[in-house]
């Protein structure tokens, strides 16, 4: 809403920033954070940027009991010229509102939040690392805070955005991983919350992840919860397969997260005149393609890794070695093009990039 | 562990206690709470009773993002003689550890926590209401607190117990409710977290609950997530049906919560020589029994309501009126016997009740 403004309370002392080699994912946070509250009849109100600080919440608050929460993940990039860029942030905010709807959380004003986010980023812009592959990870999230332990949608919420400088995902170049098809645990099911970005989906995935890690796999490939036949996601990424020159990815079905990177990869492939097929994709079909020598590449897509090649896929007693366990040409091209656009090193034909200019400097 | 003790920090000023007619569910909390922390390599440590107070948690703590949490719900009752009683608390703590296992949360020491819980209850015993049907609701819960937004099991947790005096569930006598069979949304699926008491299950149920409320139903009857044919739970309760003199309840299958009241009802029925059948129970079969005039009673079971009769069940375009929309004799008997045992008004042949004696007074 146009009349909204963000109050700003600057931190007294700026924290020391990490060296590039100290950067990992999600452990260090910047000097400020954005906070906004929801209560009735006020609605969303009191939008503010404040020093990064702990949240003080009643132990009866719903978030601690019934998991009513949603989140997003996106990044800010620094170009070689020092410009700050976001990558399709409106897609994340649209998805946040779709998640809100599924979780009975009141919608946020996407345009206002994007403005507020840019102010926050500009204020903490010194935290955006500049080394190859580094970025500023942005984590918006909403938690239910009503101090009431009845099972019902909360009447109070807190919307928070925190920022974390992160290191390069691939420190030694893009590398393929070993994946196990998960036959026991299920991530999500039609009619559940699989297409929402909500905590419960991730909580329920931990056990499968722990079990596969112990067996030496990086992630699991999730099958559908109904028939355990159809491919859904890999770890917390969407998944793509190149089969005989065409690219296949599971179609959105209500239990698969609609990834922003997934959407961007599909657009890029179409732009390159590579056929993309979104369909209900079974492990049987994939295995047959493998036996026929037609499974050329497999990779996950997500904000953190951008493209994560799959070198080996373990399914029941079978081991599928893909592209000799090396990164395929298509995965490499997608990774290079997407990151080049994100870092402003290549033209942006789709207008995906949004600059965070000096106009967002806090007065 | 025997060597463990609970440090106690008394509140400075006791809060005013609510009048009986002000009591509802889960909005008022007592003077103290139990807290214990987990970190590595210490394990669970620093068990303490402290004044009821907000939790101060970093905004990057995992609970706010990935929903890694579990909880329990049980009650303390005051007998007519003023004795304080718990109902099968060891079952709740066993289930808490089963939930912990599913959610990759380190196990708690059940015996120690039961001792600590009794100390907490004895300390706040003046909060246990004595009017008919009132009780002290006990909410143990564990949240993941590591300040890290990577998707992985947390290395830090907080275990908290809060207490809430609650009013009678049935203020005007036990009354049947209208239930809608849920055909769109799914609560849980085999391979998911349905049998764990974790936030995500409840978060995912809110939308269905909201939708059915708008149509005038009290709760939904959940079907299985795979075939949407088999009955699982009702609202957040287990469900029973009396058909032609026998009692049926869905068998535990990994997606149904193993309720303590469910288990107690089954034991009571067997004790009364009423046949109990735990099986995969389809809506088709239930509807056929209804058409045959054999569906005699239906009711939910849970800690809050104990027994919640179902007077009407709406399934697709069909309306099943059960026992003329009134509470059945079996539901009444179960309710009376269970509550009489809980409140010490009837013999306890199963040794379900555990007293909280003066031995637990904080020195």
């Amino acid at each position: 809403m146009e009349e909204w403004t963000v109050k700003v309370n600057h931190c007294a002392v700026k924290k020391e920033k990490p060296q590039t080699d100290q950067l990992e994912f999600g452990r260090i946070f910047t000097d400020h954070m954005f906070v906004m509250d929801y209560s009735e009849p006020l609605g969303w109100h009191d939008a503010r940027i404040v020093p990064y600080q702990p949240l003080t919440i009643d132990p009866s608050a719903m978030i601690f009991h019934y998991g009513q929460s949603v989140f997003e993940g996106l990044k800010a990039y620094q170009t070689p010229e020092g410009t700050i860029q976001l990558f399709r942030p409106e897609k994340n905010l649209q998805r946040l509102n779709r998640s809100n709807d599924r979780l009975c959380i009141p919608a946020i004003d996407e345009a206002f939040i994007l403005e507020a986010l840019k102010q926050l980023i500009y204020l903490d812009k010194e935290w955006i690392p500049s080394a190859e592959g580094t970025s500023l990870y942005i984590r918006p999230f909403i938690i239910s805070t009503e101090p009431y332990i009845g099972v019902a949608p909360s009447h109070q919420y807190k919307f928070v955005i925190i920022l974390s400088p992160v290191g390069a995902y691939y420190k030694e170049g893009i590398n393929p991983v070993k994946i196990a098809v998960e036959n026991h645990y299920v991530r999500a099911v039609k009619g559940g919350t699989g297409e929402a970005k909500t905590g419960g989906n991730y909580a329920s995935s931990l056990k499968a992840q722990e079990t596969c890690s112990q067996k030496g796999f990086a992630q699991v490939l999730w099958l559908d919860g109904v028939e355990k036949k159809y491919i859904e996601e890999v770890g917390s990424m969407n998944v793509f397969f190149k089969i005989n020159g065409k690219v296949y990815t599971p179609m959105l079905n209500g239990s698969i997260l609609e990834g922003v990177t997934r959407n961007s990869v599909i657009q890029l492939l179409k732009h390159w005149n590579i056929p993309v097929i979104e369909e209900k994709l079974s492990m049987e079909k994939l295995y047959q393609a493998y036996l026929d020598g037609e499974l050329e590449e497999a990779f996950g897509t997500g904000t953190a890794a951008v493209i994560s090649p799959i070198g080996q896929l373990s399914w029941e007693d079978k081991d599928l070695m893909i592209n000799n366990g090396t990164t395929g040409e298509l995965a490499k091209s997608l990774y290079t093009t997407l990151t080049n656009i994100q870092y402003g090193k290549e033209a942006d034909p789709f207008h995906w990039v949004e600059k965070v200019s000096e106009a967002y400097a806090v007065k």
Side-chain angles (χ1 to χ4, degrees), chain A:
Chain A
M1 298 173 198
E2 286 169 71
E3 74 271 30
W4 286 22
T5 53
V6 181
K7 281 166 289 180
V8 180
N9 177 10
H10 289 266
C11 64
V13 182
K14 289 185 179 179
K15 291 184 279 194
E16 202 179 327
K17 292 171 189 69
Q19 300 297 311
T20 299
D21 60 3
Q22 295 172 318
L23 289 174
E24 44 176 331
F25 182 83
R27 291 198 186 273
I28 294 170
F29 299 91
T30 67
D31 289 320
H32 297 90
M33 63 194 213
F34 172 82
V35 185
M36 180 171 76
D37 294 309
Y38 180 93
S39 64
E40 290 166 6
L42 284 177
W44 287 112
H45 65 279
D46 201 10
R48 58 206 187 269
I49 289 171
V50 296
Y52 186 92
Q53 62 193 282
L55 303 175
T56 298
I57 301 179
D58 198 88
S60 68
M62 288 182 163
I63 180 61
F64 298 134
H65 306 271
Y66 306 128
Q68 195 195 6
S69 65
V70 295
F71 70 95
E72 271 302 327
L74 64 163
K75 287 177 172 176
Y77 308 88
Q78 197 179 138
T79 72
E81 296 75 34
T83 305
I84 305 163
Q85 305 200 145
L86 295 170
F87 183 75
R88 311 186 77 186
E90 73 288 354
K91 297 286 283 180
N92 294 89
L93 297 175
Q94 287 161 8
R95 185 170 64 188
L96 187 62
N97 267 340
R98 291 200 303 276
S99 300
N100 279 337
D101 182 63
R102 180 62 183 85
L103 275 297
C104 301
I105 296 175
I108 52 141
D109 181 320
E110 294 166 24
F112 170 72
I113 291 298
L114 184 53
E115 296 290 290
L117 171 61
K118 288 177 179 173
Q119 285 189 45
L120 175 66
I121 290 169
Y122 199 87
L123 181 61
D124 278 353
K125 65 180 184 305
E126 292 161 16
W127 285 87
I128 308 176
S130 58
E132 177 78 22
T134 62
S135 58
L136 186 72
Y137 184 81
I138 301 161
R139 169 54 58 88
F141 63 99
I142 302 178
I143 54 175
S144 46
T145 52
E146 185 179 354
Y148 171 48
I149 54 172
V151 180
S154 179
H155 295 89
Q156 296 169 31
Y157 299 89
K158 206 173 266 295
F159 177 98
V160 183
I161 306 176
I162 54 177
L163 307 175
S164 173
V166 297
Y169 191 90
Y170 296 107
K171 289 190 172 54
E172 295 157 3
I174 181 168
N175 260 321
V177 290
K178 282 173 66 180
I179 300 288
V181 178
E182 177 60 52
N183 284 308
H184 179 68
Y185 296 109
V186 166
R187 177 188 166 273
V189 68
K190 196 165 152 54
T193 54
E195 69 183 340
K197 214 161 168 72
T198 181
N201 296 340
Y202 296 79
S204 90
S205 79
L206 296 173
K207 188 82 175 175
Q209 175 62 36
E210 194 178 65
T211 308
C212 88
S213 292
Q214 284 160 2
K215 294 180 187 157
F217 297 99
Q219 298 275 1
V220 301
L221 187 82
W222 297 104
L223 299 182
D224 76 284
V226 172
E227 300 182 66
K228 296 215 179 125
K229 279 185 184 173
Y230 298 97
I231 296 166
E232 299 227 314
E233 299 190 15
V234 59
S236 50
M237 291 184 282
N238 294 116
V239 67
F240 288 76
F241 301 92
K242 180 161 174 261
I243 299 174
N244 198 18
K246 294 175 182 167
V247 178
Y248 293 78
T249 190
M251 62 187 285
L252 301 176
N253 61 357
S255 57
I256 293 174
L257 192 79
E258 190 177 343
V260 177
T261 312
R262 176 188 184 278
N263 179 287
S264 309
V265 161
I266 291 173
Q267 284 194 53
L268 262 185
L269 291 170
K270 288 181 176 169
H271 188 63
W272 292 345
N273 290 316
I274 296 173
V276 189
I277 296 131
E278 298 180 64
E279 65 168 32
K280 211 170 154 181
L281 179 62
S282 71
M283 262 313 295
E284 284 291 353
K285 173 172 174 166
L286 190 74
Y287 185 60
Q288 191 56 52
Y290 173 75
L291 290 181
D292 296 343
E294 295 188 336
L295 176 55
E296 296 158 356
E297 293 192 34
F299 52 87
T301 66
T303 295
V306 186
I307 301 291
S308 175
I310 300 170
Q312 197 180 327
L313 192 59
S314 168
W315 181 44
E316 294 166 353
D317 57 347
K318 299 174 270 288
D319 262 318
L320 289 64
M321 183 69 74
I322 302 169
N323 198 36
N324 294 317
T326 66
T327 301
E329 289 307 315
L330 184 62
K332 270 186 218 161
S333 299
L334 286 165
Y335 179 80
T336 304
T337 304
L338 280 169
T339 53
N340 277 350
I341 293 173
Q342 288 165 342
Y343 288 92
K345 298 176 181 174
E346 193 170 318
D348 171 25
F350 309 99
H351 306 290
W352 282 339
V353 156
E354 210 162 317
K355 295 195 193 311
V356 182
S357 71
E358 216 184 322
Y360 292 97
V362 169
K363 274 103 203 165

